[in-house]
Amino acid sequence: MNIILLGPPGAGKGTQARRLVEERGMVQLSTGDMLREAKDSGTEMGKRVAEVMARGELVTDEIVIGLIREKLEGENGGGFIFDGFPRTLAQADALGSLLAEEGQTLEAVIEMQVDDAALVSRITARSTCGSCGEVYNDVTKPIPADGKCSNCGGTEFKRRADDNEESLRQRLMEYYKKTSPLIGYYYAKGLLKGVDGLGEIDEVAGQIAAIID
Ligand code: ADP
Ligand code: ZN
């Protein structure tokens, strides 16, 4: 079962993807994570994309399609979860071709619906564990009082360079201009399912589980 999690920055795609990995052994393919890894490891490509990402703009289709192509050849466990990809119509077309080449199909595109006001407060309050990537939120899921990650015990937490109001405004603009057309694209293919992304993490997970089962 291969699915796409679609939605604006801060909709909760990464949080839900991590749960699906834990609970169902699915494989999360997050182009945002892959690009941040490239940046942190100082590869040429990582250096090139760092500024684009910090501004909240999209990196080129060619780069992200290349990243996804490599991963599709690997193990997919209980299926792939595409998180933050595709983000343009060209990427969606490329994904269709790549899956077809691998003899794979896409079963559902889950659109996580949230309003902009919620996105701003979620994102500006967000931090993640430097060791395991567990996501925290200053308001709804604060870092434990003992300063240790509840998942792995790590003590270092990071905030993303693009999690500030200005970059977020740009990321939202990119989403509405370039990514939201995918809603119609997948609706027309009969694959689109909407979930209300404003509820508690467990509630949203329940809605997603109902779609997958
Ligand atoms: P978010 O969904 O919270 O904005 P991501 O971690 O998915 O964050 O992406 C962070 C940044 O990485 C994006 O703003 C963009 O610059 C780049 N990026 C990630 N995925 C893609 C993609 N599929 N196409 C183009 N750029 C991407
Ligand atoms: Zn951790």
Side-chain angles (χ1 to χ4, degrees):
M1 171 117 192
N2 300 308
I3 64 168
I4 293 174
L5 294 180
L6 185 66
K13 303 183 294 288
T15 300
Q16 296 298 331
R18 286 172 64 86
R19 272 186 79 128
L20 293 168
V21 170
E22 275 169 32
E23 292 172 5
R24 296 173 187 256
M26 294 176 81
V27 173
Q28 177 186 10
L29 297 183
S30 159
T31 42
D33 286 350
M34 293 175 206
L35 292 165
R36 277 185 290 278
E37 270 163 33
K39 181 187 129 191
D40 292 345
S41 57
T43 63
E44 272 312 306
M45 185 269 276
K47 285 183 213 157
R48 263 188 293 142
V49 300
E51 275 182 36
V52 176
M53 291 175 73
R55 282 199 299 270
E57 293 166 10
L58 294 186
V59 310
T60 64
D61 288 337
E62 197 191 346
I63 289 179
V64 291
I65 291 166
L67 289 169
I68 288 287
R69 179 182 288 120
E70 281 172 29
K71 304 282 176 173
L72 286 187
E73 289 158 5
E75 277 301 303
N76 82 337
F80 290 118
I81 308 157
F82 297 97
D83 161 12
F85 179 92
R87 256 179 163 92
T88 63
L89 289 168
Q91 291 176 23
D93 279 335
L95 177 62
S97 311
L98 289 171
L99 286 171
E101 279 168 30
E102 297 291 323
Q104 303 249 12
T105 50
L106 190 60
E107 272 77 32
V109 177
I110 300 175
E111 185 205 352
M112 301 184 61
Q113 298 154 342
V114 278
D115 61 54
D116 290 5
L119 299 176
V120 177
S121 59
R122 277 187 185 184
I123 285 199
T124 49
R126 169 162 79 174
S127 59
T128 56
C129 169
S131 318
C132 77
E134 184 78 1
V135 182
Y136 291 93
N137 179 293
D138 299 341
V139 183
T140 57
K141 188 184 167 188
I143 293 164
D146 64 2
K148 288 189 184 142
C149 171
S150 54
N151 188 47
C152 78
T155 53
E156 261 183 53
F157 299 90
K158 344 182 249 195
R159 283 191 198 267
R160 277 170 44 175
D162 60 348
D163 275 354
N164 59 71
E165 257 191 272
E166 199 184 322
S167 298
L168 176 60
R169 220 173 301 122
Q170 183 62 35
R171 281 151 67 200
L172 278 173
M173 201 98 85
E174 296 280 56
Y175 178 78
Y176 289 118
K177 267 197 295 199
K178 298 176 185 163
T179 309
S180 67
L182 299 183
I183 295 170
Y185 176 96
Y186 287 119
Y187 175 80
K189 291 183 188 288
L191 293 174
L192 193 73
K193 313 272 180 208
V195 302
D196 175 4
L198 280 178
E200 305 254 317
I201 292 173
D202 285 346
E203 280 165 24
V204 180
Q207 293 179 56
I208 293 175
I211 292 169
I212 293 180
D213 296 328

